[in-house]
Amino acid sequence: MLTRKQLELLDFIKQRMDRDGVPPSFDEMKDALDLRSKSGIHRLITALEERGFIRRLAHRARALEIVKLPEAMEKPGFTPRVIAGDRPAAPPAPPRGAMTVEPVHALELPVMGRIAAGVPIEAISEVSHHVAVPGSMLASNGNHYALEVKGDSMIEAGINDGDIVVIREQTTAENGDIVVALVEDAEATLKYFRRRGSMIALEAANPAYETRVFPDHMVKVQGRLVGLIRSY
């Protein structure tokens, strides 16, 4: 499944190649998607390439090839309004008695790889792709990022293998918070946080997993869970 920005970029590249026979430049892509820098375009291009929608041709400037299109773009009449600029100046008046539907504001967050909800895995620091997240899920202040869950140790907290968790960056936590904890500067895990004097307990939400207890200097809180996204 593509994020909104990935879909917009793929459609813009297709439109320009259909019109001019060559793909747009990165500056043109940046302006079309209203991004601040070309680094965002590089990330979107990489994500589209990893998902098999485009191919970069070596040793050629601006060389992109569209390999396939999402099903929605293959249907006749598909023209995303964000790129084509055909949004009506004013929405039509709703029928009398109709419920007003507020637009959903979404932001793109970097997915920093996978986080263990099970046995801790290596610490994560590189962006793998981006995901659109409703703005209502995010705090008004602070930085946020997302992680893909691996494992089932938090299943009784409603967090399943393959879910995307939304994390607010912070270095402190209250007892009972679900946090991203960095253990001994090497392993990252998603667990309940419990302080016991000078010790920190990282507690699973699955009775099959034992609670792990460490001296507080061995555990660093990297963020607190604020939301969850699940694909069906």
Side-chain angles (χ1 to χ4, degrees):
M1 183 176 67
L2 296 180
T3 66
R4 179 175 58 87
K5 283 292 187 184
Q6 291 165 3
L7 189 61
E8 290 173 10
L9 179 59
L10 183 59
D11 183 65
F12 180 64
I13 293 171
K14 182 180 183 300
Q15 288 186 29
R16 291 297 296 271
M17 292 182 72
D18 289 346
R19 189 190 76 182
D20 303 333
V22 294
S25 68
F26 275 46
D27 283 319
E28 290 169 330
M29 297 181 205
K30 175 177 68 70
D31 293 340
L33 271 67
D34 195 27
L35 297 180
R36 294 182 179 179
S37 70
K38 288 188 287 187
S39 62
I41 295 296
H42 281 283
R43 289 193 293 269
L44 292 172
I45 289 288
T46 298
L48 288 172
E49 186 176 29
E50 289 175 347
R51 287 159 176 75
F53 289 97
I54 64 173
R55 180 185 299 121
R56 279 185 274 201
L57 306 178
H59 311 302
R60 291 173 56 188
R62 293 174 54 174
L64 295 175
E65 177 184 21
I66 294 178
V67 178
K68 65 178 181 178
L69 295 172
E71 181 180 350
M73 288 181 64
E74 293 175 344
K75 294 179 180 179
F78 176 82
T79 52
R81 290 180 178 176
V82 176
I83 295 299
D86 61 349
R87 185 183 300 278
R96 179 174 296 179
M99 181 181 294
T100 301
V101 178
E102 296 294 332
V104 176
H105 175 58
L107 298 173
E108 285 203 346
L109 293 184
V111 179
M112 305 297 291
R114 309 180 85 183
I115 181 73
V119 179
I121 55 178
E122 291 185 0
I124 300 164
S125 61
E126 294 185 1
V127 176
S128 62
H129 59 284
H130 286 70
V131 64
V133 175
S136 59
M137 190 180 289
L138 309 178
S140 58
N141 59 342
N143 297 321
H144 298 77
Y145 58 93
L147 293 165
E148 180 183 352
V149 174
K150 178 178 174 61
D152 63 355
S153 75
M154 298 301 290
I155 195 167
E156 292 190 4
I159 303 171
N160 298 336
D161 183 59
D163 286 348
I164 299 292
V165 289
V166 180
I167 305 297
R168 183 187 186 276
E169 288 187 21
Q170 58 186 67
T171 57
T172 60
E174 301 291 333
N175 281 342
D177 286 346
I178 297 177
V179 302
V180 173
L182 185 64
V183 180
E184 296 185 270
D185 290 323
E187 297 176 328
T189 190
L190 186 73
K191 292 290 185 292
Y192 282 114
F193 176 92
R194 312 280 185 192
R195 178 174 289 279
R196 301 175 180 174
S198 62
M199 307 294 285
I200 300 294
L202 300 178
E203 180 181 305
N206 183 337
Y209 293 82
E210 293 184 358
T211 297
R212 304 177 73 205
V213 181
F214 302 91
D216 57 6
H217 70 273
M218 293 176 61
V219 177
K220 295 178 181 177
V221 174
Q222 302 287 286
R224 177 174 61 86
L225 176 74
V226 297
L228 182 144
I229 299 171
R230 177 170 298 154
S231 297
Y232 293 93

